[in-house]
Amino acid sequence: MLNIETFKSEVVIESPGRINLIGEHIDYNGGFVLPAAVDKKIRLRLRKNNSSSCTIYSSNFKSSFTIVLDDLVRKEVEWQNYIIGVLFHINVLKPNTIEGFDCIIESNLPLGSGISSSAALECGIAKGVNDLFNLGLSDIEIIKLSRDAEHTFVGTKCGIMDQFAVVKGKKEHLILLNCETLDYELIKADFRDYKIVLLNTNVSHSLASSEYNVRRDECDTALTAIQKKYPNFQFLTEVPVKIMKEFKAILPEKIYNRALYVTQENKRTIKAVKSLKKNNIEKFGSYLYKSHYGLQHLYEVSCTELDFLVNLTRDLDYVIGSRMMGGGFGGCTINLVHKDKAEDLITLASASYEEKFNIQLSAIQTTISDGVKQL
């Protein structure tokens, strides 16, 4: 085990979590999303060790493991695969350039909360190894190889939003990202008198990882059916709602609902950004509630705990928007709360939630931060 006290770092990396204001489950459907990096981060300290293996220590898990660079294969412990997968895909791009190193990982990112600790870890490792060995990887290469690591070594067919936000995040800005082209626009995150509060349900239902891939397959099924009549559409997000409704009697109800949500959410994201640019923060917040409705009833990735917390805010005049955030089936709600009433919301939600579910929630007040960087 590495000694944290005496460890002498050559490279220190901070890698942030991310939030997504709106555009949930849209990144793998080729549409628009609105994420940002946040001030909760993973810190990685790296040094060369002049060997052909790597020792990784996680202070959060209080455990370490060794990676043999000539034998980059999946492990049974899930969090280890995020790291091994990144090293594997770096080796694909830059063969035989990584040497042995040691790494200590410390984090104040809550796991399973929907703020993408996985992408923070992937991109942090990629950035750290890149800087430690002067590999010359571009931001886009780091983003894509980190996503590929999650596909191949973890088995989650995620889109590219999380990794993009972690790498390209800019303080006090949201990222309007076209997930098909990777074109993006930085949007000033001016919420006037409102601030972002995350309410973490502290539940992670077993459906979360398996159903994520199921949703992606359901979207592919809908798109394949639509392409038989309209072959020019490459992504569900390109299909106008009017055309989508032609397939209501053709597609199975569940498949149709998934596709309808995707087209509606993509349009909602664009409208929400227009509202933000016009400084209409109340209208922006209303789109968050509409997003949650779609996630709950059409895409069906919410859960009782998330719905309870969103519904709790609907009659509070100091909350102008709330929805579940992330893959679903647990994790956080994201709330736009008047800055003078944040503690009131946390107190109310904590008491009500514990009374209902006998579970203590965690509140996270966060600000928008820069992306992954070397300190």
Side-chain angles (χ1 to χ4, degrees):
M1 187 179 292
L2 302 175
N3 189 319
I4 297 177
E5 304 302 325
T6 60
F7 191 91
K8 292 185 178 179
S9 311
E10 293 179 60
V11 167
V12 180
I13 301 292
E14 275 194 346
S15 189
R18 70 96 191 95
I19 54 173
N20 184 32
L21 274 296
I22 194 166
E24 210 65 79
H25 285 273
I26 295 302
D27 57 344
Y28 55 82
N29 282 301
F32 286 95
V33 293
L34 192 65
V38 294
D39 61 348
K40 309 300 181 197
K41 302 176 189 286
I42 293 176
R43 177 172 286 195
L44 305 98
R45 296 192 278 149
L46 301 93
R47 70 182 181 197
K48 298 173 186 174
N49 65 18
N50 301 312
S51 76
S52 59
S53 64
C54 310
T55 299
I56 313 292
Y57 175 74
S58 166
S59 62
N60 293 69
F61 290 118
K62 293 184 169 53
S63 66
S64 63
F65 73 106
T66 299
I67 301 169
V68 178
L69 290 171
D70 291 337
D71 188 30
L72 295 173
V73 295
R74 295 183 74 225
K75 304 278 189 181
E76 290 186 8
V77 181
E78 185 178 86
W79 74 269
Q80 298 176 5
N81 289 319
Y82 293 104
I83 299 167
I84 299 166
V86 166
L87 298 181
F88 177 90
H89 284 283
I90 289 176
N91 201 43
V92 170
L93 286 175
K94 304 277 187 176
N96 304 313
T97 54
I98 306 174
E99 300 171 18
F101 66 92
D102 300 325
C103 179
I104 290 176
I105 302 168
E106 300 160 299
S107 175
N108 65 2
L109 269 179
L111 301 176
S113 60
I115 55 177
S116 208
S117 55
S118 56
L121 178 57
E122 293 155 358
C123 298
I125 285 287
K127 172 71 171 169
V129 170
N130 179 62
D131 291 5
L132 186 65
F133 295 108
N134 298 311
L135 303 183
L137 293 169
S138 68
D139 285 351
I140 290 298
E141 286 174 322
I142 287 174
I143 289 165
K144 289 183 175 180
L145 76 87
S146 297
R147 175 203 58 189
D148 293 345
E150 195 152 339
H151 285 193
T152 56
F153 275 72
V154 180
T156 302
K157 295 189 287 184
C158 63
I160 205 161
M161 175 184 72
D162 295 352
Q163 293 81 7
F164 198 99
V166 168
V167 172
K168 289 291 194 180
K170 182 174 173 60
K171 189 174 182 179
E172 298 178 356
H173 287 79
L174 310 176
I175 303 170
L176 178 62
L177 171 65
N178 181 328
C179 295
E180 177 189 354
T181 64
L182 299 189
D183 293 332
Y184 69 99
E185 179 185 355
L186 292 174
I187 308 292
K188 183 71 174 174
D190 182 7
F191 299 123
R192 296 204 325 257
D193 291 331
Y194 293 88
K195 65 187 299 185
I196 296 166
V197 176
L198 308 179
L199 297 177
N200 187 357
T201 61
N202 286 322
V203 298
S204 181
H205 294 288
S206 57
L207 290 168
S209 56
S210 60
E211 286 294 315
Y212 188 99
N213 291 342
V214 169
R215 291 299 177 281
R216 188 156 187 168
D217 291 341
E218 289 168 341
C219 291
D220 289 344
T221 299
L223 181 61
T224 299
I226 292 166
Q227 285 173 331
K228 289 177 181 176
K229 186 175 180 181
Y230 298 100
N232 290 335
F233 293 128
Q234 292 185 305
F235 297 95
L236 276 182
T237 48
E238 297 173 350
V239 183
V241 174
K242 183 178 178 181
I243 288 179
M244 184 65 70
K245 289 183 176 178
E246 293 178 23
F247 291 85
K248 186 171 184 178
I250 300 170
L251 293 169
E253 182 181 14
K254 183 166 66 174
I255 301 298
Y256 172 75
N257 284 344
R258 306 297 190 249
L260 181 62
Y261 163 77
V262 168
T263 61
Q264 290 176 340
E265 180 76 351
N266 192 56
K267 288 190 64 139
R268 251 193 306 271
T269 302
I270 295 166
K271 289 178 179 178
V273 170
K274 288 180 179 176
S275 298
L276 199 57
K277 287 180 174 180
K278 291 178 180 177
N279 210 25
N280 191 342
I281 190 67
E282 291 80 10
K283 185 72 171 175
F284 179 85
S286 74
Y287 287 121
L288 270 62
Y289 280 118
K290 291 174 182 176
S291 175
H292 185 81
Y293 182 90
L295 288 159
Q296 179 183 356
H297 297 288
L298 295 178
Y299 218 64
E300 295 184 284
V301 290
S302 190
C303 63
T304 305
E305 296 89 349
L306 289 166
D307 296 339
F308 176 84
L309 289 175
V310 171
N311 289 334
L312 184 72
T313 68
R314 290 186 186 275
D315 295 326
L316 302 175
D317 59 5
Y318 55 83
V319 180
I320 57 168
S322 177
R323 70 173 188 86
M324 62 149 278
M325 186 183 72
F329 305 103
C332 285
T333 63
I334 181 169
N335 306 270
L336 285 177
V337 188
H338 194 280
K339 61 187 180 183
D340 297 335
K341 293 288 189 176
E343 293 299 334
D344 290 358
L345 173 66
I346 292 166
T347 300
L348 172 63
S350 298
S352 303
Y353 185 75
E354 187 169 7
E355 181 181 355
K356 176 72 173 176
F357 298 105
N358 198 28
I359 301 170
Q360 290 188 338
L361 62 74
S362 306
I364 306 166
Q365 298 190 52
T366 190
T367 56
I368 295 172
S369 177
D370 288 322
V372 63
K373 61 183 178 183
Q374 184 180 163
L375 298 182

